Amino acid sequence: MMRFISIIFSLLLLAGCTESEPKVDGRWYSLKQVDQGKQLFLANCASCHGAAAQGTAEWNKPLSNGKYPPPPLNGTAHAWHHPLKGLKKTIQIGGIPLGGTMPAFGDQLNEADLDALISFFQSKWPQPIYQAWLDRGGLN
């Protein structure tokens, strides 16, 4: 009987180790997602949006071709106005339909990749910006 209890206790401890990662305080994502997102961002987005998601200096002024340059994603531009679904959709379809120049990533990034990527640049958002995003229904 003691052996049976010991096995059950061990299984319960192991089960606790497989639970999802703890979330960043007050945010929908985990530090693991931010770390994964950083790698994805550096590989796919940083060449245009900057390594710190700072975007281009005059992101809100059209280029000579009428298209807009990459905006900051660090909370200083308009990305926080868009809900999570909208951010994912923009990454998938690109910015061209919206007047920008961002290429579409289509199905090159899976759902977990999209979550990680967005968590990385949202981790740059100051708490008041993140809270405003939540208040606007950002998780909807």
Side-chain angles (χ1 to χ4, degrees):
M1 183 66 164
M2 271 314 265
R3 182 177 167 137
F4 177 75
I5 292 172
S6 177
I7 290 171
I8 296 297
F9 183 74
S10 296
L11 289 173
L12 289 172
L13 283 175
L14 287 174
C17 294
T18 61
E19 288 184 21
S20 65
E21 295 284 320
K23 302 298 181 198
V24 172
D25 193 31
R27 307 275 175 130
W28 63 268
Y29 49 81
S30 69
L31 283 176
K32 183 176 180 181
Q33 286 174 299
V34 173
D35 290 341
Q36 292 169 341
K38 179 179 182 179
Q39 298 311 311
L40 288 165
F41 191 88
L42 292 174
N44 296 287
C45 313
S47 62
C48 295
H49 289 282
Q54 76 275 12
T56 56
E58 295 188 351
W59 63 270
N60 55 354
K61 295 185 175 148
L63 301 169
S64 60
N65 64 4
K67 301 286 185 180
Y68 285 87
L73 300 175
N74 61 5
T76 61
H78 64 271
W80 69 271
H81 290 105
H82 305 287
L84 189 57
K85 283 188 237 176
L87 294 170
K88 289 179 183 184
K89 185 174 181 179
T90 300
I91 294 167
Q92 291 172 320
I93 68 167
I96 294 169
L98 305 170
T101 58
M102 185 174 121
F105 285 85
D107 60 0
Q108 294 174 43
L109 301 169
N110 64 34
E111 191 72 19
D113 291 339
L114 292 171
D115 285 345
L117 191 59
I118 294 167
S119 73
F120 170 70
F121 67 75
Q122 282 190 340
S123 74
K124 307 282 185 204
W125 295 2
Q127 188 57 35
I129 294 294
Y130 185 80
Q131 187 60 51
W133 178 76
L134 285 176
D135 293 347
R136 290 175 63 98
L139 290 173
N140 297 327

